[in-house]
Amino acid sequence: MEKLSVEEMRHKMDTVQLQDELVDACKWGELDRARELISRFGTEPRARTLLEEMLQEDDAQARQAAVFGLGELSGAVSVKRLELQLALEEARGDYDGESVVEEIVRVLGRMEDTEARAVLAR
């Protein structure tokens, strides 16, 4: 079993708390709070990694929050990841997947990236 230092454990706990708060903010439509939480994740590569990990959660609300976060980070990398997630969610064929698909479409529609518009057109 991997032993974590006190600092690593604190960081992991902070990350989990931040993720939980992001899910809660998105769940209640508190988008300004959600944006502030995304900025607290830290540098963009770190934030993107954490959000992409959230996309793999079983909980649809966690995946929706991650989609929102990736939309806030924007850029071609986010668009590509959201396009992939769109296909994964559609393949689920269940209500949870549909709710995440709706969030992906909403986020892509808000993004100014021309690639986001191309994904929606397909």
Side-chain angles (χ1 to χ4, degrees):
M1 185 170 156
E2 177 185 351
K3 288 191 176 190
L4 299 175
S5 71
V6 172
E7 185 61 32
E8 289 171 324
M9 286 180 63
R10 186 176 302 126
H11 174 73
K12 189 170 187 151
M13 287 174 31
D14 288 346
T15 299
V16 169
Q17 181 181 3
L18 221 52
Q19 289 172 330
D20 289 346
E21 288 184 38
L22 178 60
V23 171
D24 187 63
C26 288
K27 174 182 173 183
W28 295 107
E30 299 171 351
L31 303 184
D32 289 338
R33 179 175 154 224
R35 286 182 186 96
E36 191 272 327
L37 289 165
I38 291 163
S39 71
R40 285 179 39 203
F41 274 119
T43 63
E44 184 181 329
R46 181 172 172 257
R48 189 174 303 284
T49 299
L50 292 169
L51 293 168
E52 288 181 1
E53 288 172 5
M54 288 175 67
L55 287 174
Q56 298 176 32
E57 296 285 330
D58 288 333
D59 180 32
Q61 289 181 335
R63 296 193 316 271
Q64 290 171 340
V67 166
F68 176 84
L70 287 171
E72 289 300 303
L73 294 179
S74 69
V77 175
S78 286
V79 172
K80 292 290 184 196
R81 185 58 181 93
L82 291 173
E83 182 177 24
L84 172 62
Q85 193 65 29
L86 180 61
L88 294 171
E89 297 296 341
E90 288 174 333
R92 284 178 182 267
D94 62 11
Y95 177 78
D96 284 349
E98 289 175 21
S99 67
V100 179
V101 165
E102 289 176 17
E103 183 64 17
I104 293 169
V105 169
R106 203 174 3 260
V107 165
L108 288 172
R110 280 196 323 256
M111 293 175 77
E112 295 179 13
D113 193 298
T114 55
E115 289 292 316
R117 303 281 188 241
V119 171
L120 288 176
R122 285 179 247 172

